[in-house]
Amino acid sequence: NAGVTQTPKFQVLKTGQSMTLQCAQDMNHNSMYWYRQDPGMGLRLIYYSASEGTTDKGEVPNGYNVSRLNKREFSLRLESAAPSQTSVYFCASRISAGLYEQYFGPGTRLTVT
Amino acid sequence: GENVGLHLPTLSVQEGDNSIINCAYSNSASDYFIWYKQESGKGPQFIIDIRSNMDKRQGQRVTVLLNKTVKHLSLQIAATQPGDSAVYFCAENAGGTSYGKLTFGQGTILTVHP
């Protein structure tokens, strides 16, 4: 049982390049989330998926898109990377309504030059 | 407590001391609160949670206190150990149809000296 896994662990992009961050969970959780964490700040929600087949914007969605590929996988795409998107990205999952604890992956450290 | 700008609050303690980390939350409708620990280079890890119908909850070496009157949350760590050194975040859930979304505080850096 690996929990929440994320790939890649590190990535460097040039401004304007695109990439997809992958996230998978093996806990049969219904809800999945993408956060970004900037230095000296807490986590801010980018997008979330309450259940398979649904996605919604969080606090900071601009410049990102997501896909809930199936119950296990939730990907985050940067279509045209900008230096302001340099951050550490965390994926999380949660089992169901009534239980709010989220389980986090190890993160992807992204640098946009 | 948290709600500080880019400079995280810090707490330095000696091994064996008790630590208290504070958090002010903003949404009076929040019905669930959670503390996470984040070690350097890792994702946040669950420590303890509490619902708004409680004012205290205890775990192993940790206690969370909730004061809804002043919208304040605290995490107490007993007999702090060097392995407790990390950034600690509080998070709140706004309840209703928020789909389990958590709003995180900015974090407090705890350093435990041997």
Side-chain angles (χ1 to χ4, degrees), chain A residues 33 35 37 39-43 45 48 50 57 90 94 98-106, chain B residues 5-6 8 31-32 34 36 38 41-44 46 51 89 93 99-102 104-106:
Chain A
Y33 308 82
Y35 294 89
Q37 184 176 36
M41 299 182 69
L43 288 85
L45 184 65
Y48 67 100
K57 296 178 180 179
F90 289 100
R94 180 179 75 95
L99 295 172
Y100 295 113
E101 179 186 343
Q102 294 181 17
Y103 295 81
F104 285 83
Chain B
L6 293 178
L8 294 183
D31 63 354
Y32 173 85
I34 189 168
Y36 281 94
Q38 186 177 26
K42 297 184 178 180
F46 170 83
R51 293 190 180 275
F89 294 96
N93 175 267
Y99 298 109
K101 291 187 291 181
L102 296 175
F104 284 80
Q106 292 171 328

Side-chain angles (χ1 to χ4, degrees), chain A residues 30 49-54 68-72:
Chain A
N30 294 313
S49 171
S51 60
E52 187 179 356
T54 68
R68 183 75 183 265
L69 304 170
N70 47 55
K71 190 171 186 179
R72 289 187 64 247

Side-chain angles (χ1 to χ4, degrees), chain A residues 23-110:
Chain A
C23 173
Q25 51 89 11
D26 61 1
M27 297 176 284
N28 201 34
H29 285 177
N30 294 313
S31 302
M32 297 184 74
Y33 308 82
W34 275 106
Y35 294 89
R36 62 177 287 173
Q37 184 176 36
D38 300 303
M41 299 182 69
L43 288 85
R44 292 184 292 169
L45 184 65
I46 305 171
Y47 270 93
Y48 67 100
S49 171
S51 60
E52 187 179 356
T54 68
T55 61
D56 282 287
K57 296 178 180 179
E59 180 186 353
V60 289
N62 291 344
Y64 305 95
N65 284 301
V66 291
S67 295
R68 183 75 183 265
L69 304 170
N70 47 55
K71 190 171 186 179
R72 289 187 64 247
E73 299 173 288
F74 188 37
S75 63
L76 178 72
R77 183 160 178 83
L78 286 72
E79 290 291 351
S80 178
S84 61
Q85 294 178 304
T86 294
S87 190
V88 181
Y89 291 85
F90 289 100
C91 177
S93 69
R94 180 179 75 95
I95 186 166
S96 67
L99 295 172
Y100 295 113
E101 179 186 343
Q102 294 181 17
Y103 295 81
F104 285 83
T108 294
R109 186 173 295 274
L110 175 67

